[in-house]
Amino acid sequence: MHGAIPRDLGGAERFTPSQRVLVRMLVVARRERSRRFAAQSRYLTDPAWDILVDLAAAGLTGRSVSVSSACLAALVPQTTALRYVRLLEADGLVERVRDVSDGRRFLLGLTSKGWSQFHGYVSWLDGQPPGTVSPAPDGTAASIPSVLDGPRRPRSVAPRPLRSVDEGRSGA
């Protein structure tokens, strides 16, 4: 992908409207966490995740993200953020390409693998299997159950029986 904006539109297109809202909520929740825990910001960090969320949110809206912008989204020193960008690249989750409109800067985007893994996570949050879309009769995905639709039925989980420490000992 030389010179193009790194956007795997096939990945972004798999997100339903409710999943897109969840991605936006992840961004807003991160900002709120930073605001509420500002005094603890030096150790409440997750730079790689912050970069992934920023890239996904931007990709879903068609925006490109420069490396320096992704580093700012990580809310850590730039050298630390760049280290995480390199790790994400090495794992094949993000890719870096030269910006065709400004050859001095590089853009980041999720790879197919990055989109797939991020979609899987958001699908789990949304309560549906990843990769499934059940369109409504009018062609929209609004009929898909979502965590945004309200509380779900509690799962019935039977407690496991307790075993005695002496259980299974022979001759006891």
Side-chain angles (χ1 to χ4, degrees), residues 11-27 56-57 60 115 118-134 141-142 144-148:
E13 289 172 352
R14 290 186 294 201
F15 286 73
T16 64
S18 63
Q19 291 170 343
R20 290 171 182 267
V21 170
L22 283 171
V23 172
R24 182 70 187 133
M25 288 175 66
L26 289 171
V27 171
L60 288 172
W115 276 117
F118 198 82
H119 182 255
Y121 175 73
V122 173
S123 294
W124 174 80
L125 286 175
D126 199 35
Q128 64 185 21
T132 60
V133 177
S134 304
I144 298 172
S146 167
V147 294
L148 303 175

Side-chain angles (χ1 to χ4, degrees), residues 2-4 11 16 34 38 53 64 73 79 81 96 102 121 128 135 137 139 141 143-144 147 152 157 170:
H2 298 290
T16 64
S34 294
V53 171
S64 58
T79 54
R96 181 190 323 215
D102 182 351
Y121 175 73
Q128 64 185 21
S143 67
I144 298 172
V147 294
R152 298 181 190 189
V157 178
S170 59

Side-chain angles (χ1 to χ4, degrees), residues 28 36 77 91 114 127-128 146 156 171-172:
V28 172
R36 290 179 183 268
D91 279 346
Q128 64 185 21
S146 167
S156 174

Side-chain angles (χ1 to χ4, degrees), residues 104-127:
R104 297 170 297 171
R105 74 180 194 155
F106 285 85
L107 302 175
L108 286 178
L110 295 179
T111 62
S112 293
K113 178 182 176 182
W115 276 117
S116 179
Q117 287 191 242
F118 198 82
H119 182 255
Y121 175 73
V122 173
S123 294
W124 174 80
L125 286 175
D126 199 35

Side-chain angles (χ1 to χ4, degrees), residues 2-172:
H2 298 290
I5 294 173
R7 271 186 295 185
D8 179 353
L9 295 178
E13 289 172 352
R14 290 186 294 201
F15 286 73
T16 64
S18 63
Q19 291 170 343
R20 290 171 182 267
V21 170
L22 283 171
V23 172
R24 182 70 187 133
M25 288 175 66
L26 289 171
V27 171
V28 172
R30 175 59 172 101
R31 287 185 190 143
E32 185 63 12
R33 186 182 89 179
S34 294
R35 187 183 71 76
R36 290 179 183 268
F37 294 96
Q40 295 80 22
S41 65
R42 68 187 181 282
Y43 57 84
L44 287 178
T45 63
D46 201 355
W49 180 246
D50 293 337
I51 292 168
L52 284 175
V53 171
D54 184 57
L55 293 176
L60 288 172
T61 60
R63 291 182 295 114
S64 58
V65 177
S66 68
V67 172
S68 57
S69 176
C71 289
L72 289 173
L75 302 173
V76 292
Q78 186 168 6
T79 54
T80 302
L82 285 170
R83 185 170 57 249
Y84 281 98
V85 167
R86 286 191 297 276
L87 290 170
L88 291 166
E89 282 182 292
D91 279 346
L93 297 174
V94 303
E95 62 184 330
R96 181 190 323 215
V97 297
R98 190 173 299 277
D99 183 352
V100 292
S101 64
D102 182 351
R104 297 170 297 171
R105 74 180 194 155
F106 285 85
L107 302 175
L108 286 178
L110 295 179
T111 62
S112 293
K113 178 182 176 182
W115 276 117
S116 179
Q117 287 191 242
F118 198 82
H119 182 255
Y121 175 73
V122 173
S123 294
W124 174 80
L125 286 175
D126 199 35
Q128 64 185 21
T132 60
V133 177
S134 304
D138 64 356
T140 67
S143 67
I144 298 172
S146 167
V147 294
L148 303 175
D149 295 333
R152 298 181 190 189
R153 293 179 303 160
R155 292 182 182 165
S156 174
V157 178
R160 301 176 87 192
L162 296 176
R163 288 181 8 163
S164 167
V165 176
D166 294 329
E167 220 176 282
R169 289 187 185 172
S170 59

